[in-house]
Amino acid sequence: DVSMPTTQGSDVPTSALALLPLPEPDTLDEPQLCGRACCWCSKPLSNDTAIDLGQRTSDTHGGTASWFPRTCRGCMGPHVQQTAEHHARICEQCVDDVAVCTMARALRLLSLEHAR
């Protein structure tokens, strides 16, 4: 089994979070960019309610800027499910045997972790 970096306090590989398609940073407001609001629905977040999606970088005006997307539980589930379905359609390993696909397992773990 391949070992992958995991999110802090979690068994979920960071690569699973990186698969989640996020809104374009230039479409977000300041609270969404800095993680005080959900990057998808704009719901205000606290440290207790936010799910950290990891620091991201984007090219802006000829340079690179960091942003810190977080999400609420209500948005996390549907986006993980959508990503898992998309991955299963394009992954040769998933077509052959989803049980041995490392990324499919990581997305399932991500879904289970945030379903609680």
Side-chain angles (χ1 to χ4, degrees):
D1 195 18
V2 177
S3 177
M4 293 199 266
T6 59
T7 62
Q8 186 174 10
S10 169
D11 293 329
V12 176
T14 54
S15 54
L17 290 175
L19 283 179
L20 296 176
L22 300 178
E24 291 296 322
D26 60 354
T27 66
L28 303 177
D29 60 22
E30 193 267 337
Q32 290 172 297
L33 289 170
C34 67
R36 291 193 318 268
C38 177
C39 66
W40 286 300
C41 75
S42 302
K43 178 181 178 180
L45 300 170
S46 70
N47 286 337
D48 293 332
T49 62
I51 299 169
D52 187 0
L53 299 174
Q55 180 179 344
R56 307 295 173 104
T57 57
S58 64
D59 294 327
T60 57
H61 307 292
T64 302
S66 293
W67 60 297
F68 305 88
R70 298 194 313 171
T71 187
C72 63
R73 290 198 182 280
C75 288
M76 184 67 163
H79 282 90
V80 171
Q81 181 64 35
Q82 181 181 25
T83 301
E85 290 170 2
H86 179 267
H87 173 79
R89 286 192 303 270
I90 64 168
C91 174
E92 186 176 323
Q93 183 61 63
C94 284
V95 171
D96 292 341
D97 184 359
V98 71
V100 296
C101 177
T102 304
M103 193 53 61
R105 280 196 319 265
L107 287 165
R108 173 133 172 84
L109 185 59
L110 185 61
S111 177
L112 292 171
E113 180 173 294
H114 294 293
R116 305 182 221 145

